[in-house]
Amino acid sequence: MDAKKIRNDFIKFFQDRDHRFVRSSSVVPFDDQTLLFTNAGMNQFKPIFLGSNKADYQRAVNTQKCIRVSGKHNDLEEVGVDVFHHTFFEMLGNWSFGDYYKKDAIKWSWELFTDLWRLDKSRLWVTVYKDDDEAYDLWLEQTDIQKDRVLRFGNKENFWEMGDTGPCGPCSEIHYYVGEEVEDQDRNGVNNTDEYWELWNLVFIQHDRQADGTLIDLPEKHIDTGAGLERIVTVLQDKKSNYETDLFQPIIKGIEAVAGSNYLKQKVPHHVIADHIRMLSFAIADGAMPSNEGRGYVLRRILRRAARFGRMIGKKDPFLFELVDIVIDVMGESFPELMDKKIHVKNVIESEEKSFNTTLERGLIHFEKYISKHNGDIIPGKEAFKLYDTYGFPLDLTQLMAREKGLEVDEVGFHKSMKKQRERAKAAGKFKQISQNLSWVIVSDKEDSTFLGYEQFESHAYIRKYSKTDDYTILVLDQTPFYAESGGQISDTGLITIGDDSLTVLDCQKSGNEIHHICSGDFNNDILSDPVLCKIDFDRRQRIRKNHTATHLLHAALKKTLGEHVHQAGSLVHPQYLRFDLTHSEKISNQEILEIENLVNDEIQKNVLLDIDIKDFDVAKSEGAEALFGEKYGDVVRVISIGDFSMELCGGTHVSRTGDIGLLKVTEESSLAAGVRRLVAVTGPEAINYIQKNVSIVHELQGVLGTKADEISNRVNHLIDERKELEKKLKHSRTSSTFSTKTLMEGCIKFNGYNILVSNVASESMDELKEYGDKILNALESGVAVIGSDKGNKPSVVIVVTDDIINQGVNAANFAKIIGNEMGGGGGGKPNLATAGGKDTKTYTIAMKKSIDLIKSELKKVEG
């Protein structure tokens, strides 16, 4: 039974029992700031359990993409070493929201395991919460499990809680004995040894934990179950390791092919790489990007850890990106977003691998040098942080290398250094902050937050609830024309009139299904039952609509110009401008930008009528509609079509016809991250202002330079060339007057018949220092010279070596690496001339002093 069939069996089993299949949410929970990554199937249903959302279905089934690498669920150190921990895994699950409860959950889990999949009942064990007599009795009544195989455990093992407060309840787990001797099973092994695998957890959510620790019963009881696909596949395929299943073996064979390695001889590196490339592929496909903060830092850690294990199997060049195709072969049918984002995923991983390789060698040299001098069993946190800060080594990579040397790393000290020097993640916007933990006054408990703003710009409404802080008044209305920030589009602003009082709406934010109107001002509490008048800032909304529709046109034009690999990686729709982040690994040329602008403006000139339709998600996707990074879509979606040019899923506000936009002009193009570019553009009046301003600048330059507009560039280039020539003559003149090769050579010392020169000189730049090096090399006859300058912010050094010594295995590039490392920087170059750079004067002075002994040490190896 292959993994694909097992996954489909689970889903169909519950669909046959009236469960709705709900697609996996993104592994990047953009709408949940409490999570770095989606780590359980219940994450997307959390608002339902908390009561902030109400589902339009009572039963659900899905297979959820999950990542666990940090915090409470940090399995990273176990990955690859044992056979069942992973950074990425699939969690199969079924849910009941106030519908069936323990009886059906228990009965169906046993039926699926023993009737459909025919798991060996003599290997199955069940655990229940110590006080949950109901679940205990149901296991004996609804299944044929033996009584002595139903075990009771306490809070740690069998009581589930979402957090310190909130929904919680007892749970019941199904375990499977994977050992060899069926007759030697021991109940004491459950929850204690690796021979008893937890396969499925049934959570019975029936309580609400209060701040004082007490439990109250929930008005509705829920079911939340989770079963790890990887473990179930291992059991059903009769394997001893998850890595032996068809979920991992194709990837492992791919690693062997790329690296020329042998899995059976080095299992752990193959396990780690196979696991990590799955995690990286899914995270990047869902919009995460490697960086030095938050989830981006986690991605960078995982990628560099995989690259490090690649070196253990002899693979030093970038190779991880080549495995993405195999991950897609295995998982792409079930998760089509992998296929959609394939080129982007590969580009990002390859770029990160190349970047890491440039610093890895220098870091390894530094690490080995430090270890050779280090006394003791613990590497100080400060030194581990230097490896992170200077060479890009994540802490766990340093720990890995330390363990190979029989050492430990001071993790507390590392985090102290990190806290001092690492830039803290920027705080969320103040308006988003104040929507949390508000004290609400309930006016009415009827339905609220019906959005009218697609058709209406003002409306009457009734207050459903409100909250007041020192600075703001927050309102929830039964209906509203105000758009709440989402999908990259910022919120509406405007006025809400309550009797004789007017509140200025500063921002609107979504909280579950509610729209929070964040206002300045106050109102008379005695007229809460009266209707209020809502009026948005119409001119501002018009500018936002232009920019949002222009964003769709820009996205389509980018795909047509640059290729189908382009996907939206983020956007901001603002009244003054639009910002668009796209997956593309190269700078977008001026000519390409012109082509993109022309495509967009052609569509604007056609004055195309927008078609807005409501469709099933799967239908819209099959018709070619674009789904965007970070957005959550229900089963029914809003589709914005602009002729045959663009089709996207979108809940934002748009113009009626493309002609309403007027004009689009791209104003900026830049790099945002590896494999991601950013464009900024303006439309309508803002675009006209931009063009007029730049035309004015061109006219001014024409007057200053005395030339025609189309000759400005040539004229400026000519002036630049003239300046360079003058600077060159000036430098030559200064060098001739201040630098004397003859004088400098008088500082040479003799060693074993070779000349050694180490000297500090006055130099304005590295280019000038290299010129000095060339002159010294010609005068040196036979030997090594190190000349440096500490002028400017960072010291520089040039090393030269004569040909006779190069022929005997000593070269300038090796000296440069060592000297650069001594200065806290790096170095490299050609055998006869190389350069090194440092951080400050202190390290430079020490490095120069050590250079003579370094040269002598190397020359001793040379036969005279």
Side-chain angles (χ1 to χ4, degrees):
M1 196 186 303
D2 62 31
K4 189 185 302 180
K5 184 179 188 318
I6 294 168
R7 183 191 294 114
N8 292 338
D9 276 353
F10 184 92
I11 294 168
K12 185 177 185 303
F13 180 88
F14 285 101
Q15 283 179 321
D16 290 344
R17 287 154 183 80
D18 300 322
H19 288 62
R20 179 185 293 189
F21 174 70
V22 178
R23 294 185 310 279
S24 170
S25 62
S26 166
V27 293
V28 183
F30 291 102
D31 59 343
D32 189 341
Q33 299 305 312
T34 66
L35 290 172
L36 277 180
F37 295 99
T38 299
N39 58 20
M42 60 76 58
N43 289 162
Q44 70 170 305
F45 302 116
K46 189 160 73 169
I48 300 174
F49 294 136
L50 291 171
S52 56
N53 276 15
K54 190 167 183 66
D56 58 357
Y57 47 86
Q58 288 188 294
R59 300 181 179 189
V61 60
N62 90 338
T63 176
Q64 174 63 49
K65 304 172 291 187
C66 297
I67 290 177
R68 291 185 182 177
V69 287
S70 58
K72 179 181 176 182
H73 298 291
N74 189 343
D75 299 329
L76 186 56
E77 294 308 314
E78 302 297 328
V79 172
V81 179
D82 66 20
V83 298
F84 53 83
H85 274 110
H86 300 291
T87 57
F88 171 87
F89 63 97
E90 280 185 70
M91 186 175 284
L92 304 170
N94 60 289
W95 287 266
S96 166
F97 307 118
D99 187 21
Y100 66 84
Y101 200 48
K102 293 178 184 178
K103 176 183 173 182
D104 287 329
I106 288 170
K107 179 177 65 177
W108 288 336
S109 64
W110 191 255
E111 184 181 338
L112 176 59
F113 266 5
T114 62
D115 291 352
L116 182 63
W117 285 340
R118 300 196 175 280
L119 286 181
D120 186 348
K121 296 177 185 178
S122 67
R123 290 178 176 269
L124 289 169
W125 295 78
V126 166
T127 67
V128 298
Y129 183 57
K130 59 185 177 64
D131 297 331
D132 193 353
D133 295 333
E134 180 187 6
Y136 182 89
D137 292 340
L138 285 169
W139 274 110
L140 301 180
E141 294 168 8
Q142 298 297 318
T143 76
D144 57 356
I145 191 171
Q146 297 175 20
K147 185 175 182 179
D148 61 353
R149 286 180 168 270
V150 183
L151 312 178
R152 295 178 185 262
F153 283 88
N155 286 44
K156 180 182 176 183
E157 295 86 1
N158 281 86
F159 196 88
W160 178 90
E161 304 199 49
M162 185 180 290
D164 293 334
T165 60
C168 57
C171 62
S172 181
E173 296 176 342
I174 305 176
H175 296 250
Y176 189 83
Y177 175 69
V178 297
E180 297 292 341
E181 306 298 331
V182 179
E183 61 276 6
D184 288 344
Q185 294 178 62
D186 181 355
R187 62 187 291 139
N188 294 319
V190 177
N191 280 328
N192 286 313
T193 75
D194 288 344
E195 285 190 318
Y196 297 83
W197 285 10
E198 175 201 332
L199 293 187
W200 204 345
N201 187 13
L202 317 178
V203 180
F204 312 126
I205 302 176
Q206 61 191 60
H207 304 302
D208 187 1
R209 175 79 70 184
Q210 303 301 293
D212 63 1
T214 59
L215 296 174
I216 62 173
D217 288 340
L218 289 168
E220 287 187 329
K221 296 178 180 180
H222 310 295
I223 291 292
D224 163 25
T225 85
L229 175 69
E230 288 77 8
R231 292 188 185 186
I232 289 174
V233 170
T234 300
V235 168
L236 291 177
Q237 292 183 359
D238 196 24
K239 306 293 184 182
K240 297 301 179 186
S241 160
N242 292 357
Y243 295 101
E244 294 175 5
T245 68
D246 60 342
L247 288 170
F248 288 93
Q249 275 299 303
I251 303 173
I252 288 171
K253 286 181 170 60
I255 296 168
E256 289 182 307
V258 170
S261 54
N262 187 313
Y263 168 61
L264 295 178
K265 291 182 178 179
Q266 291 178 287
K267 285 190 174 183
V268 171
H270 289 82
H271 290 173
V272 171
I273 296 166
D275 171 273
H276 287 8
I277 192 60
R278 290 190 351 143
M279 181 271 192
L280 292 165
S281 297
F282 275 94
I284 295 169
D286 276 352
M289 290 294 293
S291 70
N292 285 329
E293 292 293 339
R295 62 174 65 97
Y297 177 57
V298 174
L299 255 67
R300 187 159 279 168
R301 283 173 59 204
I302 296 296
L303 193 147
R304 292 181 173 185
R305 193 168 189 265
R308 166 70 177 154
F309 274 96
R311 287 173 172 259
M312 291 184 182
I313 56 174
K315 194 63 181 170
K316 293 186 177 181
D317 296 330
F319 74 101
L320 296 171
F321 73 97
E322 298 182 56
L323 304 174
V324 172
D325 287 324
I326 306 172
V327 175
I328 294 172
D329 288 342
V330 176
M331 310 286 283
E333 184 177 330
S334 299
F335 302 99
E337 60 271 23
L338 286 174
M339 292 186 280
D340 294 342
K341 307 295 192 302
K342 179 175 79 170
I343 296 175
H344 169 61
V345 172
K346 293 177 75 171
N347 285 344
V348 170
I349 293 176
E350 183 180 15
S351 177
E352 275 290 309
E353 286 188 272
K354 288 178 178 177
S355 174
F356 185 43
N357 272 6
T358 61
T359 57
L360 182 61
E361 286 295 341
R362 291 193 295 117
L364 292 174
I365 291 172
H366 175 83
F367 180 79
E368 294 296 337
K369 181 180 175 183
Y370 177 83
I371 294 300
S372 67
K373 298 178 181 178
H374 177 66
N375 295 319
D377 298 327
I378 298 177
I379 297 174
K382 195 173 181 180
E383 183 61 31
F385 181 74
K386 182 178 181 180
L387 281 167
Y388 161 78
D389 196 38
T390 305
Y391 303 105
F393 281 35
L395 175 61
D396 48 307
L397 180 54
T398 303
Q399 290 172 321
L400 177 67
M401 296 191 300
R403 283 196 296 271
E404 292 171 0
K405 302 286 186 182
L407 303 174
E408 294 181 3
V409 176
D410 172 18
E411 190 168 343
V412 173
F414 172 86
H415 288 300
K416 282 182 180 178
S417 296
M418 178 75 83
K419 188 174 181 180
K420 288 179 183 177
Q421 296 191 39
R422 240 179 96 198
E423 196 173 293
R424 295 295 88 196
K426 292 181 180 178
K430 60 181 179 180
F431 294 134
K432 293 177 185 175
Q433 294 280 352
I434 66 172
S435 286
Q436 306 298 319
N437 302 318
L438 293 170
S439 177
W440 291 101
V441 176
I442 306 298
V443 179
S444 166
D445 60 0
K446 296 179 181 178
E447 291 295 316
D448 58 52
S449 301
T450 300
F451 180 60
L452 308 174
Y454 292 133
E455 293 86 21
Q456 299 180 39
F457 304 121
E458 64 176 88
S459 72
H460 285 92
Y462 287 92
I463 298 173
R464 290 302 182 220
K465 64 181 181 178
Y466 69 91
S467 179
K468 295 183 180 182
T469 70
D470 292 340
D471 300 308
Y472 304 103
T473 297
I474 302 94
L475 300 177
V476 175
L477 309 174
D478 67 332
Q479 58 184 19
T480 178
F482 286 91
Y483 182 85
E485 179 181 340
S486 64
Q489 178 178 326
I490 68 171
S491 75
D492 284 324
T493 59
L495 293 174
I496 295 178
T497 303
I498 306 173
D500 295 329
D501 301 315
S502 285
L503 304 184
T504 300
V505 180
L506 305 171
D507 189 32
C508 294
Q509 292 291 329
K510 285 186 176 179
S511 179
N513 290 333
E514 293 178 349
I515 294 177
H516 291 183
H517 303 73
I518 300 164
C519 313
S520 63
D522 202 351
F523 60 88
N524 183 349
N525 291 359
D526 295 332
I527 56 172
L528 294 179
S529 60
D530 294 345
V532 302
L533 177 63
C534 304
K535 189 173 183 179
I536 69 170
D537 183 333
F538 179 76
D539 290 339
R540 184 175 180 274
R541 164 71 82 83
Q542 288 296 83
R543 296 197 301 272
I544 291 172
R545 292 169 71 187
K546 293 176 195 292
N547 285 338
H548 202 151
T549 305
T551 299
H552 285 217
L553 293 173
L554 180 62
H555 188 186
L558 284 162
K559 278 183 169 290
K560 296 178 192 301
T561 304
L562 304 178
E564 286 298 316
H565 65 280
V566 168
H567 297 283
Q568 180 173 328
S571 70
L572 175 64
V573 179
H574 189 276
Q576 271 73 51
Y577 62 91
L578 67 91
R579 191 179 71 209
F580 191 88
D581 303 332
L582 61 139
T583 58
H584 187 63
S585 57
E586 299 173 353
K587 178 178 174 60
I588 305 173
S589 69
N590 291 336
Q591 182 58 42
E592 287 170 330
I593 288 175
L594 286 175
E595 291 176 22
I596 292 161
E597 288 177 338
N598 287 337
L599 283 171
V600 173
N601 286 315
D602 282 348
E603 291 302 310
I604 291 172
Q605 292 300 310
K606 290 175 185 177
N607 199 25
V608 180
L609 179 68
L610 271 66
D611 179 64
I612 300 175
D613 200 1
I614 305 298
K615 296 184 178 183
D616 288 340
F617 176 85
D618 292 331
V619 171
K621 281 290 290 176
S622 68
E623 292 176 353
E626 287 283 336
L628 308 181
F629 279 135
E631 288 300 303
K632 290 176 71 173
Y633 298 104
D635 293 332
V636 178
V637 291
R638 186 168 178 259
V639 183
I640 310 294
S641 299
I642 307 173
D644 296 327
F645 193 77
S646 167
M647 181 191 290
E648 291 192 17
L649 309 183
C650 181
T653 62
H654 290 270
V655 298
S656 299
R657 289 180 172 274
T658 57
D660 297 343
I661 299 168
L663 174 71
L664 175 133
K665 183 76 182 98
V666 174
T667 60
E668 295 179 33
E669 193 277 344
S670 61
S671 172
L672 183 63
V676 179
R677 308 298 298 183
R678 168 168 286 179
L679 291 179
V680 178
V682 288
T683 66
E686 294 289 340
I688 294 171
N689 290 341
Y690 178 84
I691 291 170
Q692 288 175 336
K693 182 180 177 180
N694 280 275
V695 168
S696 178
I697 292 171
V698 170
H699 287 161
E700 188 175 341
L701 286 172
Q702 284 181 262
V704 171
L705 298 171
T707 185
K708 295 178 181 178
D710 58 359
E711 294 177 357
I712 289 176
S713 180
N714 290 336
R715 177 67 177 141
V716 171
N717 286 331
H718 178 69
L719 291 172
I720 291 171
D721 290 341
E722 282 186 348
R723 180 188 171 106
K724 286 180 179 178
E725 188 62 32
L726 288 171
E727 286 177 343
K728 188 175 179 182
K729 290 177 181 178
L730 182 62
K731 186 193 294 183
H732 179 74
S733 174
R734 186 172 65 244
T735 301
S736 299
S737 61
T738 62
F739 182 80
S740 170
T741 305
K742 182 178 179 181
T743 302
L744 209 59
M745 289 298 294
E746 292 174 358
C748 278
I749 63 172
K750 286 284 187 179
F751 180 78
N752 286 357
Y754 298 106
N755 290 316
I756 298 177
L757 174 63
V758 176
S759 180
N760 186 61
V761 299
S763 172
E764 298 294 332
S765 67
M766 179 62 85
D767 287 340
E768 190 173 6
L769 200 60
K770 286 163 74 174
E771 286 183 23
Y772 295 170
D774 283 330
K775 293 183 178 182
I776 293 295
L777 183 60
N778 290 331
L780 200 56
E781 294 183 359
S782 178
V784 179
V786 176
I787 58 172
S789 172
D790 58 358
K791 292 193 72 174
N793 295 327
K794 293 183 179 180
S796 303
V797 174
V798 167
I799 304 96
V800 295
V801 178
T802 56
D803 288 342
D804 59 321
I805 299 177
I806 292 171
N807 292 335
Q808 298 188 65
V810 177
N811 71 67
N814 289 338
F815 282 125
K817 284 182 181 178
I818 298 169
I819 294 170
N821 191 59
E822 191 68 46
M823 294 192 296
K830 297 178 181 179
N832 65 332
L833 189 150
T835 62
K839 286 189 172 182
D840 54 53
T841 303
K842 184 179 178 182
T843 56
Y844 164 75
T845 303
I846 294 170
M848 291 296 281
K849 285 181 180 178
K850 290 184 177 181
S851 293
I852 292 179
D853 290 337
L854 172 64
I855 295 169
K856 286 181 178 180
S857 174
E858 291 299 310
L859 289 178
K860 283 179 183 178
K861 303 173 186 177
V862 177
E863 296 180 8

